[in-house]
Amino acid sequence: MRMPSNINDWETTEDWENIYAVGRRYTKIYNEGVAQANRGNVKEFIRILSSIADVKERHKDNLMALPEKPDHEVVAKAQMQLANFYLFGRKQTDDGSIIETRKDTRKAFHYMTLAAENGNVSAQQNLATIYETGLDPDGESIPDVSVDYKTALKWFHSAAKQGSKLAAEEGKNLYEKMRQWRFHPSTSEWVGK
C-alpha cells in the first residue's frame, strides 16, 4: 500500500484506521507482555517487552512495520520494566504472585539507560543514583559502571526538570557534595578539601 504524504490524500477510512492503529501498536504489544507476566510466562514476557524495548530507529519505508518510534513513552515504559526485572531478578504480577529471572545488572543498566534517554523519570532518577554510588539496590557494584558525579548530576537534573522533587533534592545534595570535594585526576577519585 502506498503511503500518502498528506493526510488529505487518504482515500478511505480504512487507510486512516491503519495509521491510527500504528499509534496504538506499542500499547497493545506492551499490554500483551504484561498479560504474559500475569500468566507466569517469563520467557514470553521478556520476548514481547524486548521487541518494544530494543527499538532502534523509525522504519523509513513502511510506516506499518516495527521499529517506528523509539522515543515513544510506552517504549520507555517497557525498557524500565525490563531494567527493573533484571535489576531485582523478579517482578510482582497484577495478582500479587512473583515471576523470577536471573539477576543481570548489565542488562538492567542497558535498559535503564535506554529508558532514561527516552524520558522515563524513574529511569533517570535511578540511573543518577547508580552513577552517584556505582552500586545496585543490593549494594553490589555494577560491572562496567564507575562512579561519575557529573553524569549523575545530569540525570538528576533531567528528572527534576520533569517534576521529580526527589531528583531535585538528590541533585542539590550531590552538587553540594561536589563543591566540598574535588576530583583528583591521578587517582580518578573525589577527595575532601
Side-chain angles (χ1 to χ4, degrees), residues 10 13 39 63 106 117-118 124 163 193:
W10 292 103
T13 305
R39 291 183 197 114
L63 293 178
R106 280 193 173 114
E117 289 169 350
N118 285 329
Q124 292 171 344
K193 290 183 178 180

Side-chain angles (χ1 to χ4, degrees), residues 64-131:
M64 303 308 291
L66 288 173
E68 68 196 30
K69 193 171 181 187
D71 61 348
H72 193 282
E73 67 186 59
V74 177
V75 172
K77 193 173 169 183
Q79 291 162 339
M80 191 60 187
Q81 282 266 351
L82 286 172
N84 283 333
F85 190 49
Y86 286 120
L87 189 62
F88 295 103
R90 63 191 174 283
K91 172 185 175 18
Q92 185 171 353
T93 63
D94 291 345
D95 67 3
S97 60
I98 304 290
I99 59 172
E100 296 182 347
T101 191
R102 184 178 56 83
K103 280 180 71 171
D104 188 331
T105 52
R106 280 193 173 114
K107 283 184 181 179
F109 185 75
H110 167 74
Y111 284 119
M112 194 169 297
T113 301
L114 292 176
E117 289 169 350
N118 285 329
N120 184 287
V121 175
S122 295
Q124 292 171 344
Q125 197 165 300
N126 292 347
L127 202 56
T129 301
I130 288 171
Y131 275 113

